[in-house]
């Protein structure tokens, strides 16, 4: 499954490489839809931080995947327990807080966690880097948006391949 963590209206304006990260998450949402990969979206303290940013919310609504899980804990792992998925692609913010704590909890539960490095950010590049280093040393895998989509795809020459090719361009 694809887990998108806390890409919210009042958080994103201060995030490092905001536009790139939002664009990559939108590609992931659209690619997951083409490939039949379930998408879960978390939102931290909506009253204070707002909802998922509009471009992503629209993409999620178009694909039928906008059913956010609201939380006040930094980790979103508890909300995923009932889903019975063993592999989780992780994107979102902030890398060193909610992304880190969620991925760490998922690893502790024995799940395979792949961090989509170009779809994760923090207010500073330094905090993002430290979070990714710690999670990789704890057993998470590292990937990128395009790498993950083509890995999920597996082969060229299909309608899905053509759709994914359009999404990543």
């Amino acid at each position: 499954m694809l887990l998108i963590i806390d890409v919210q209206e009042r958080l994103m304006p201060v995030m490092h490489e905001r536009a790139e990260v939002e664009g990559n998450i939108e590609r992931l949402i659209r690619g997951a839809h083409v490939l039949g990969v379930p998408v879960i979206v978390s939102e931290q303290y909506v009253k204070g931080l707002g909802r998922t940013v509009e471009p992503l919310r629209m993409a999620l609504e178009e694909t039928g995947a906008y059913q956010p899980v609201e939380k006040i804990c930094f980790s979103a792992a508890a909300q995923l327990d009932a889903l019975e998925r063993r592999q989780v692609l992780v994107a979102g913010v902030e890398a060193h807080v909610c992304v880190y704590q969620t991925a760490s909890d998922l690893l502790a539960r024995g799940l395979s966690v792949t961090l989509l490095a170009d779809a994760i950010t923090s207010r500073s590049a330094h905090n993002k880097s430290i979070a990714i280093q710690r999670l990789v040393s704890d057993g998470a895998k590292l990937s990128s948006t395009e790498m993950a989509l083509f890995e999920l795809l597996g082969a060229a020459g299909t309608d899905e391949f053509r759709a994914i090719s359009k999404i990543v361009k």
Side-chain angles (χ1 to χ4, degrees), residues 7-11 43-53 57:
V7 186
Q8 291 168 255
E9 295 162 333
R10 292 188 191 96
L11 287 174
E43 293 178 342
Q44 176 78 19
Y45 182 59
V46 175
K47 181 179 175 183
L49 298 176
R51 299 183 339 169
T52 299
V53 294
R57 195 170 61 245

Side-chain angles (χ1 to χ4, degrees), residues 68-146:
V69 175
E70 292 188 34
K71 63 186 183 69
I72 57 169
C73 295
F74 294 128
S75 176
Q79 286 87 350
L80 308 180
D81 286 341
L83 297 178
E84 299 181 14
R85 297 287 171 162
R86 304 301 306 156
Q87 298 175 313
V88 184
L89 301 171
V90 178
V93 302
E94 275 195 79
H96 65 294
V97 184
C98 294
V99 170
Y100 173 78
Q101 290 186 34
T102 300
S104 184
D105 286 349
L106 293 172
L107 288 166
R109 287 170 164 81
L111 276 68
S112 172
V113 174
T114 300
L115 306 171
L116 302 169
D118 61 350
I120 292 172
T121 194
S122 288
R123 285 168 285 145
S124 76
H126 182 71
N127 279 333
K128 172 185 171 178
S129 177
I130 290 170
I132 288 174
Q133 288 175 36
R134 282 206 40 202
L135 287 166
V136 168
S137 73
D138 289 346
K141 297 175 185 131
L142 195 57
S143 191
S144 68
T145 296
E146 194 167 327

